[in-house]
Amino acid sequence: MFGRKQWSNWSGGVTCRPGQFVVPSTVEALSDLVRETAGANGKLRVVGAGHSFSPVVATEHTLVSLARIRGLAEVDREAGAATVLAGTTIRDLGGLLGKHGLALENQGDIDSQAIAGAVSTGTHGTGIAFGSISTQVRALTLVLATGELLPCSPTQEPEIFKAAQVALGSLGVLARVRLQCVPSYVLRDVRKNVDLAQCLADFEDSCRRHRHFEFWWFPYSDRAATKALDIVATPKPRSVVKRVLADKLLETGVFWAASEAVRLFPGLSRPVARFAARAISEADHADHSHRVFPSPRDVRFNEMEYAVPVERGPDCLRELKAYIERDRVNVHFPVEYRVVAGDDIWLSPFYRRDSAVISVHMYAGMPYADYFAGCEAIFRNHRGRPHWGKLHGLTAHELQDMYPEWHRFHAVRRRLDPRGVFMNDHLTRIFGA
C-alpha cells in the first residue's frame, strides 16, 4: 500500500504524493512530530489502515501512519473497559480483548480498519439496538496542533469529546481511545437466500427477532442474501474445508474472476450479477464474536454509503433497484442494507435518528462516477446522510443543513486548530473552511 513516493488507499481509488511519510513508534514521538510540523507552519494528515474510500487522508504535505502505535494501553476488567492505542486494528483488537474475557458490543463486517479511523468516520455494524463504534467510546486522548495531549470524556472537556467522537481527524490526532466493552460472547451466524420482496416485508420483524440482521441484494435479481446473528452458548465453527471453499474459492476466487471478466466486458454485468445471486452460499455456524462479525473482503471495490431514516429505507432500495434496471447500469456488486441506532454525536450520520444504511459498490478499476451519482440523487431524496469515509459528492453547502450541531462542531474545530494544521483539500471542500 505504501510506495516510495506515492500512497494509495485499499481500493486504489485514492492516491497522493506526500512530502514526507512518517511512522512514529510512540505517542510521545507522535506528539513531537505534530508540534514540529505546526511550528514550521506545516500541515499533516493521519492514516490508519487506508480503508476509507474518500480522500479523507490524502495530502501533499506530511502523512503520518499510526501502524506502530498499537495494542492495549490499559484494561479495566471491573468497569469492562479498555484503553486502546489508536493504530490498533479492529481485527487485532478482538483477540487482545478476548484474552481478558472482553469483546466489542458490535462491529462492522470489515475488521481491517485502525480504531482511530473507525471512530473518526463513524464506522458501524448492524442492529437496530446498536449505534456506531463511536457510541462505544468513553474517553479519548487527542494530540492537538500544539503537541499537547488532551484527554476528554463526557465529564472532562465534554464539548470537545462530543465533537471528537466523529471528527475525521480535523481536531487533532487520536492517540488513545477508551472503549466500553462487554463480556466475551459467541454468535451464531445464519445465512439464507430469500425473495427480496419478502425480505423487505419481513425486515422490521427480522430486526426485532435477531440481535443483528442485514442483507445483500444482487442487481438484476429478485433474491436477497440475509445474515442473522444471535448470541448462543457454545461455538460451532465451520470446518477448515468449508471455510476455504466458501470464503476463498467461491466468494474470493470465483467472484474475483467474474469481476475481472466484467471489467473487461462490461456487458457481462447482468448475467454475472444474476449468477452471483444464485451462487452465494447459505451457512450456519457459531464462533466468538470477533470471528463472526467480519466477512472476507479480498475482492477490491469502491463504495458509496448513505444513512436514510429507517422508515424510508425500503422505498429507497426499491428506487435504487428500479434505477439500476431502467438505466441498465453495468454493475454486478451487491447492494448492502443494514440498520443502525440513532445517537447524539454531532457529526454522526445517525444523529437523532435510527437509520437504514444502504451501500453501493463498484469493482475496483471500473468507472463508478455515473452510477454513484444516480444513487446519490436517490439517497438525497430520502434525506440521506453520507458515510464520511466513503465516496460522495456533497460540499459544506449541502452538508451543513443535515447536521443541527454543524456550527457548534466547527466552533470547536477552529478553537483547537485555528491555522488548519489538520486540514486537506477534501476537508476544505466538505467543511467549507
Side-chain angles (χ1 to χ4, degrees):
M1 187 174 292
F2 301 106
R4 183 176 180 183
K5 294 182 179 179
Q6 180 170 284
W7 174 88
S8 69
N9 70 339
W10 175 81
S11 73
V14 178
T15 61
C16 68
R17 294 183 181 275
Q20 62 173 337
F21 180 74
V22 188
V23 192
S25 298
T26 65
V27 172
E28 291 72 21
L30 174 64
S31 174
D32 290 342
L33 172 64
V34 173
R35 183 186 304 107
E36 292 166 6
T37 301
N41 293 320
K43 291 179 177 290
L44 65 82
R45 291 297 293 160
V46 178
V47 61
H51 219 287
S52 286
F53 299 93
S54 66
V56 66
V57 305
T59 183
E60 296 179 353
H61 302 279
T62 298
L63 185 61
V64 182
S65 169
L66 298 175
R68 294 178 184 166
I69 302 177
R70 57 202 309 171
L72 295 181
E74 180 185 25
V75 175
D76 184 343
R77 298 187 68 172
E78 185 175 342
T83 300
V84 185
L85 294 174
T88 310
T89 64
I90 296 174
R91 179 179 300 135
D92 289 344
L93 182 57
L96 292 170
L97 291 176
K99 293 177 182 178
H100 297 275
L102 297 173
L104 293 177
E105 180 183 54
N106 191 20
Q107 64 183 77
D109 62 357
I110 296 176
D111 62 358
S112 57
Q113 308 99 323
I115 193 66
V119 170
S120 295
T121 58
T123 293
H124 60 89
T126 189
I128 197 59
F130 301 95
S132 73
I133 201 165
S134 299
T135 65
Q136 300 171 46
V137 175
R138 295 297 174 265
L140 297 166
T141 300
L142 285 169
V143 181
L144 301 182
T146 59
E148 173 191 358
L149 294 178
L150 177 68
C152 56
S153 70
T155 57
Q156 184 178 12
E157 300 286 359
E159 283 256 316
I160 294 175
F161 174 73
K162 193 51 62 179
Q165 280 181 279
V166 175
L168 287 72
S170 66
L171 307 184
V173 183
L174 278 186
R176 302 184 188 95
V177 181
R178 182 176 173 87
L179 295 169
Q180 185 63 54
C181 303
V182 296
S184 297
Y185 57 102
V186 173
L187 282 177
R188 181 188 180 193
D189 180 347
V190 178
R191 313 283 183 103
K192 293 182 179 179
N193 299 328
V194 302
D195 177 75
L196 175 64
Q198 192 62 51
C199 180
L200 286 173
D202 296 342
F203 188 77
E204 187 176 342
D205 181 61
S206 298
C207 289
R208 285 196 299 264
R209 289 189 295 109
H210 299 289
R211 191 179 194 263
H212 310 278
F213 187 79
E214 63 181 302
F215 69 86
W216 293 263
W217 166 70
F218 280 88
Y220 303 106
S221 80
D222 292 312
R223 303 291 287 171
T226 67
K227 177 180 178 179
L229 304 180
D230 293 288
I231 293 179
V232 294
T234 55
K236 188 184 74 173
R238 291 180 296 174
S239 69
V240 173
V241 172
K242 286 185 177 179
R243 188 166 64 248
V244 170
L245 281 174
D247 293 351
K248 297 301 181 184
L249 181 59
L250 292 176
E251 295 191 16
T252 297
V254 173
F255 192 59
W256 173 82
S259 297
E260 277 294 291
V262 170
R263 183 178 65 84
L264 296 171
F265 305 100
L268 293 174
S269 294
R270 289 175 289 283
V272 166
R274 294 189 189 103
F275 167 77
R278 293 191 301 270
I280 194 164
S281 57
E282 296 189 330
D284 185 347
H285 67 278
D287 209 333
H288 294 284
S289 59
H290 66 276
R291 296 180 187 141
V292 171
F293 278 121
S295 299
R297 289 292 185 271
D298 297 325
V299 180
R300 304 202 177 204
F301 53 84
N302 287 297
E303 183 175 356
M304 169 179 282
E305 178 181 289
Y306 267 73
V308 304
V310 68
E311 66 275 9
R312 301 186 72 153
D315 283 343
C316 184
L317 182 66
R318 293 184 186 103
E319 287 187 34
L320 286 171
K321 183 175 186 293
Y323 153 63
I324 290 169
E325 294 172 351
R326 182 189 66 242
D327 287 24
R328 298 178 66 82
V329 178
N330 288 323
V331 60
H332 66 288
F333 257 72
V335 176
E336 188 174 11
Y337 191 107
R338 291 174 284 178
V339 288
V340 178
D343 58 42
D344 63 353
I345 300 170
W346 294 351
L347 283 197
S348 168
F350 320 110
Y351 183 79
R352 301 296 188 195
R353 71 186 194 196
D354 295 342
S355 299
V357 182
I358 306 175
S359 310
V360 295
H361 313 75
M362 182 66 78
Y363 181 56
M366 291 183 66
Y368 58 79
D370 290 345
Y371 173 44
F372 284 6
C375 294
E376 188 164 51
I378 295 169
F379 290 139
R380 292 195 63 195
N381 284 340
H382 287 275
R383 296 173 49 221
R385 295 171 179 154
H387 188 301
W388 294 114
K390 301 182 182 181
L391 294 165
H392 67 86
L394 305 188
T395 66
H397 178 72
E398 295 92 7
L399 289 163
Q400 64 182 342
D401 294 331
M402 298 178 178
Y403 294 92
E405 303 293 349
W406 179 266
H407 298 292
R408 196 176 178 189
F409 171 86
H410 287 291
V412 172
R413 183 184 62 77
R414 287 189 294 269
R415 174 160 59 91
L416 295 184
D417 184 23
R419 291 194 290 126
V421 173
F422 302 112
M423 297 295 288
N424 66 359
D425 290 345
H426 178 67
L427 293 187
T428 298
R429 181 175 69 85
I430 64 173
F431 285 169

